[in-house]
Amino acid sequence: LLGYTGQMPNWLANIASVMLALAMVVLFCKHLNVAGLLVWNQKRKVEARAVLEAFLARESSDTPTRRAIKERLEALYFLGAYRIYAEQPLRDELIQLHESAKGQLCWVHIRRASHLLKIEYGRLMVRNWWKSSHALTILCAWVMQLVFGMITVYCAFVFFKAKPLSAGDGAILLFGIVLSGWITLFANSALWPFADAKRIRKLLPRTGESGEHSKKDPCEPRKPQKKGM
């Protein structure tokens, strides 16, 4: 900000231009009748579910096809209730987790972390996301928070401290504060599933990295090791 003469720095003006372009894209998308597309998609799902329900009502014999369709319907009902698509083994474990952790976990926490959960060795497990592509998501989220957080602070400092400030520059800076602050919060929300997964990991029985439950008693005395010659 040293030597500020009332004109916006070139790099800040470029960032403001990008933000304005993003705002125009958002406004353009609103004119695509997104709500109508969502209603159409929901109607299509309801019609498909009605077809499956009609099949179950018509077929009373216990066949593999009927069992598969019944399982599919239960998964869709669970998806509609909690916004989590899970087959029966995972559903049972999630319900049991929610019942055993009342007061510590709610369905919102479980839903956010659902893509980090899996069934392994017949038990609910949390994926090692630091060994997968999720680590890149965490890194990008932190970088976005840092960059746009600094932009937010800088724009706010210029807006309140720099004088004189034209009406156009003031409007662009104010818009930059709001948009960059929103992007910072959006980047922070990308980290919520991993925080919820850590919370769930603490509530699950202790497991090794391979997924097998440790059978070693922690109170068992350690065997003395032989000293080298």
Side-chain angles (χ1 to χ4, degrees):
L1 292 177
L2 294 177
Y4 185 82
T5 61
Q7 300 294 328
M8 294 180 62
N10 291 334
W11 67 271
L12 185 57
N14 293 333
I15 293 176
S17 300
V18 173
M19 290 180 175
L20 286 173
L22 290 175
M24 292 176 64
V25 171
V26 172
L27 292 175
F28 176 75
C29 291
K30 290 188 66 176
H31 288 284
L32 293 178
N33 194 12
V34 177
L37 293 175
L38 293 177
V39 170
W40 172 83
N41 188 44
Q42 184 65 25
K43 182 180 179 181
R44 183 179 59 84
K45 291 180 179 179
V46 171
E47 291 175 351
R49 188 180 303 173
V51 172
L52 297 179
E53 291 173 346
F55 176 84
L56 290 181
R58 186 174 64 252
E59 296 289 335
S60 58
S61 58
D62 186 19
T63 62
T65 301
R66 191 178 191 280
R67 289 195 298 268
I69 292 179
K70 183 180 179 182
E71 163 62 24
R72 171 68 174 174
L73 268 177
E74 290 179 355
L76 291 177
Y77 286 135
F78 193 78
L79 174 65
Y82 301 110
R83 294 172 57 192
I84 303 172
Y85 184 84
E87 296 184 352
Q88 184 176 359
L90 181 57
R91 283 200 311 271
D92 294 343
E93 289 291 334
L94 294 180
I95 293 172
Q96 182 179 355
L97 172 66
H98 179 261
E99 292 177 349
S100 63
K102 285 184 177 179
Q104 303 179 67
L105 280 178
C106 67
W107 282 110
V108 175
H109 301 131
I110 298 175
R111 174 178 57 79
R112 286 197 300 237
S114 60
H115 66 285
L116 297 171
L117 304 177
K118 64 177 180 178
I119 295 294
E120 189 172 323
Y121 298 97
R123 301 297 298 270
L124 183 64
M125 305 284 292
V126 178
R127 300 179 188 274
N128 294 333
W129 60 81
W130 55 87
K131 296 181 180 180
S132 64
S133 60
H134 294 297
L136 182 60
T137 302
I138 297 176
L139 177 61
C140 292
W142 276 109
V143 171
M144 287 180 65
Q145 282 190 100
L146 178 62
V147 173
F148 284 96
M150 293 176 62
I151 292 174
T152 304
V153 173
Y154 183 86
C155 290
F157 187 80
V158 172
F159 183 79
F160 289 106
K161 294 296 183 180
K163 302 296 180 181
L165 191 63
S166 66
D169 287 351
I172 293 177
L173 284 173
L174 185 60
F175 177 79
I177 292 171
V178 174
L179 185 58
S180 59
W182 181 84
I183 294 176
T184 303
L185 292 176
F186 175 77
N188 180 262
S189 67
L191 300 173
W192 296 348
F194 303 101
D196 292 330
K198 288 182 180 179
R199 182 184 302 183
I200 292 174
R201 182 189 292 273
K202 293 179 181 179
L203 297 174
L204 294 177
R206 209 171 207 183
T207 58
E209 285 191 4
S210 63
E212 297 181 356
H213 289 260
S214 176
K215 297 181 180 179
K216 184 177 180 180
D217 186 359
C219 298
E220 182 181 352
R222 298 175 64 181
K223 295 181 180 181
Q225 298 180 353
K226 295 182 180 181
K227 296 182 179 181
M229 299 298 294

